[in-house]
Amino acid sequence: MAVERPQLSDEVVAHLRDRIMSGDLRPGERIRLEDVADQLGVSITPVREALLTLRGFDMVELQPRRGYVVAPLSRQDIVDVFQLQAHIAGELAARVAQRVTAADLAELTEAHRAIQRAARARRVDVAELEQLEFEFHRAGNRVAGARKLSWLLHWATRYTPARFLATDPAWREGMLADHEAVLAALAAHDGAAAQAAMARHFTDGADRLVKHLDDLGIWA
């Protein structure tokens, strides 16, 4: 019997979210609880909990006699979600630029260097890179002093296939360049530049994801 761990359902959510948003699981495709449990080496319980969570995000639907299936997803859905993320993240970065201290900047710079080491390692640990990227943005958002706006961004990024993007070397290099642009803007207390650099960080992910899904022919 699989041993349940705290927040195991969150790990299943992340796994299924990446598969759905990266096109590995396509709109209308049935998700069998037993198959997911076997693939991840867990029991049915966290899989069921994860699907309930994903249903709340409109990533899956529960259909009579079919069970859970992947919800419809359009190119515009991808663009809309990432534009929302870019708008919120850009606004937060602009506020950080006005409030950031030398100590804050040192913390963010060190967080970026940790990401840089992880992103350029001979063998990239995708889960580690995902966590470090999350911590970098969380540290910055704390400086913004906008608790509710940060909370909204956190929920909006639940649609991002972070692990899929992190496997792309070109995305990793673009991510590092975006971070450096953001840090330079913060050091200069340039809110407009920080906003633009942070927004580009998110829209670049959208462009890469849409191209990937186009190449898969997922919209057909």
Side-chain angles (χ1 to χ4, degrees):
M1 179 181 295
V3 177
E4 305 299 339
R5 302 192 303 274
Q7 299 181 329
L8 184 54
S9 64
D10 289 344
E11 297 176 23
V12 182
V13 167
H15 171 78
L16 290 174
R17 176 194 62 210
D18 268 60
R19 293 190 65 195
I20 291 169
M21 297 302 291
S22 66
D24 187 36
L25 290 170
R26 301 192 174 208
E29 186 171 346
R30 184 181 176 191
I31 301 176
R32 293 175 173 82
L33 277 71
E34 296 82 0
D35 291 348
V36 176
D38 288 344
Q39 290 166 7
L40 299 179
V42 300
S43 73
I44 293 292
T45 300
V47 178
R48 184 179 292 109
E49 292 172 351
L51 287 168
L52 285 171
T53 298
L54 292 170
R55 188 183 182 191
F57 284 108
D58 193 36
M59 290 187 189
V60 301
E61 297 177 336
L62 184 58
Q63 296 183 354
R65 295 182 296 280
R66 289 198 69 200
Y68 285 99
V69 300
V70 178
L73 180 69
S74 70
R75 182 187 286 106
Q76 190 61 51
D77 289 332
I78 300 293
V79 173
D80 289 344
V81 166
F82 277 83
Q83 283 183 344
L84 175 63
Q85 294 173 7
H87 177 75
I88 299 174
E91 175 61 28
L92 287 167
R95 297 187 190 188
V96 173
Q98 304 307 314
R99 299 166 58 99
V100 70
T101 66
D104 296 329
L105 201 56
E107 179 185 0
L108 289 168
T109 300
E110 182 54 40
H112 169 66
R113 287 173 180 162
I115 294 171
Q116 191 175 53
R117 290 191 294 271
R120 292 176 174 167
R122 180 171 297 180
R123 291 187 177 181
V124 176
D125 184 329
V126 173
E128 178 191 17
L129 183 59
E130 179 186 11
Q131 182 62 31
L132 289 171
E133 169 77 348
F134 171 76
E135 290 171 359
F136 173 83
H137 287 280
R138 181 173 61 180
N141 293 341
R142 281 200 301 264
V143 178
R147 182 181 176 91
K148 298 305 182 187
L149 203 58
S150 298
W151 182 88
L152 287 172
L153 179 61
H154 173 69
W155 283 96
T157 54
R158 292 295 182 96
Y159 293 92
T160 304
R163 294 176 188 178
F164 164 76
L165 290 173
T167 61
D168 181 351
W171 179 86
R172 294 198 298 268
E173 287 303 313
M175 174 263 294
L176 293 173
D178 290 340
H179 283 188
E180 288 165 5
V182 169
L183 289 170
L186 295 181
H189 297 282
D190 187 336
Q195 185 174 37
M198 186 62 81
R200 183 175 62 248
H201 181 42
F202 284 85
T203 55
D204 176 66
D207 292 342
R208 293 180 188 279
L209 181 56
V210 167
K211 182 182 184 304
H212 168 74
L213 295 174
D214 279 340
D215 292 344
L216 285 180
I218 196 172
W219 321 117

